[in-house]
Amino acid sequence: MKQMQPEQLIAGLGEFVKVRREEAGGRYQSLYAEVWRQWRALNNFTMSWADQDSRRMAQNYWRGMNKWYDQFDRHRREITTPDLGLSTEMAFLYYGVALDLAKGVTKRLPPVDLHQPVTKINDFPFRLHQQLTEFKKLDIEMMTMIDVQLLIEYWHVLDKAVRIKATE
């Protein structure tokens, strides 16, 4: 599938979030609203003045988010179909898998030091780490099976994106 620009991803997911009123449940209640918030925040700055590693990570991130969006788009009909949701045991199992993937991703990013005297505005790894700190507050108990699958897929593609070495 053709790579979409970040603006196209944001518009596509934003339309879904608005039509489905995904934000109505409040913060951290919807996977799709949280991904949409993250995308808008991370696309808010130009990377033209960023160092090479930041630009590369931003490119890898958006490449990974294209892959995630493809999965989301394939399952869009299933997302809109009512589901019974997860049993408590399944929710904890999947939450553990998602948490393990999240820990692996955040371990590879620079730590967020909110008391830093200066943070470069185009430091993509730093901004991504900030966004992921918020994203990890997502409430998995309200998710359906397809939501959880897409959450795990999100962390999986993000894990691949941050693993790519600066030498590539």
Side-chain angles (χ1 to χ4, degrees), residues 30-57:
S30 165
L31 168 64
Y32 314 104
E34 292 305 315
V35 170
W36 186 51
R37 277 187 190 98
Q38 183 183 109
W39 287 356
R40 290 182 300 167
L42 291 174
N43 195 47
N44 212 14
F45 303 99
T46 180
M47 295 306 295
S48 59
W49 298 101
D51 61 55
Q52 187 177 11
D53 288 340
S54 280
R55 279 196 307 267
R56 184 171 285 117
M57 182 170 283

Side-chain angles (χ1 to χ4, degrees), residues 60-72:
N60 293 339
Y61 172 83
W62 289 112
R63 224 177 273 125
M65 292 301 105
N66 261 278
K67 290 176 185 173
W68 182 86
Y69 187 84
D70 288 345
Q71 289 293 322
F72 160 78

Side-chain angles (χ1 to χ4, degrees), residues 1-16 36 39-40 43 62 65-66 68-70 72-73 76:
M1 181 159 239
K2 182 182 163 208
Q3 289 286 313
M4 295 189 339
Q5 293 298 312
E7 295 79 11
Q8 294 170 303
L9 294 172
I10 293 166
L13 188 57
E15 180 183 340
F16 176 84
W36 186 51
W39 287 356
R40 290 182 300 167
N43 195 47
W62 289 112
M65 292 301 105
N66 261 278
W68 182 86
Y69 187 84
D70 288 345
F72 160 78
D73 207 30
R76 191 184 293 242

Side-chain angles (χ1 to χ4, degrees), residues 1-162:
M1 181 159 239
K2 182 182 163 208
Q3 289 286 313
M4 295 189 339
Q5 293 298 312
E7 295 79 11
Q8 294 170 303
L9 294 172
I10 293 166
L13 188 57
E15 180 183 340
F16 176 84
V17 167
K18 289 174 186 174
V19 167
R20 293 255 321 182
R21 298 179 39 111
E22 290 285 321
E23 290 184 301
R27 192 76 202 263
Y28 312 119
Q29 298 299 310
S30 165
L31 168 64
Y32 314 104
E34 292 305 315
V35 170
W36 186 51
R37 277 187 190 98
Q38 183 183 109
W39 287 356
R40 290 182 300 167
L42 291 174
N43 195 47
N44 212 14
F45 303 99
T46 180
M47 295 306 295
S48 59
W49 298 101
D51 61 55
Q52 187 177 11
D53 288 340
S54 280
R55 279 196 307 267
R56 184 171 285 117
M57 182 170 283
Q59 290 169 347
N60 293 339
Y61 172 83
W62 289 112
R63 224 177 273 125
M65 292 301 105
N66 261 278
K67 290 176 185 173
W68 182 86
Y69 187 84
D70 288 345
Q71 289 293 322
F72 160 78
D73 207 30
R74 271 190 225 121
H75 296 290
R76 191 184 293 242
R77 184 171 294 146
E78 295 169 57
I79 295 168
T80 58
T81 304
D83 190 351
L84 295 176
L86 297 171
S87 68
T88 305
E89 296 85 24
M90 290 299 287
F92 282 119
L93 174 70
Y94 285 120
Y95 181 71
V97 171
L99 199 57
D100 287 345
L101 285 167
K103 284 178 185 175
V105 169
T106 53
K107 218 187 286 185
R108 287 180 201 80
L109 295 172
V112 174
D113 181 5
L114 299 176
H115 304 295
Q116 257 180 282
V118 176
T119 301
K120 293 187 295 184
I121 201 164
N122 55 7
D123 184 347
F124 192 83
F126 179 82
R127 290 188 299 123
L128 179 58
H129 198 286
Q130 284 179 311
Q131 291 300 314
L132 295 179
T133 300
E134 287 299 308
F135 189 78
K136 288 192 290 186
K137 297 176 184 176
L138 193 60
D139 184 3
I140 197 168
E141 290 179 22
M142 299 301 292
M143 292 187 180
T144 65
M145 188 64 195
I146 192 66
D147 295 339
V148 172
Q149 287 174 345
L150 286 168
L151 174 64
I152 290 172
E153 179 66 17
Y154 166 86
W155 284 112
H156 178 71
V157 298
L158 194 53
D159 185 54
K160 284 183 176 179
V162 299

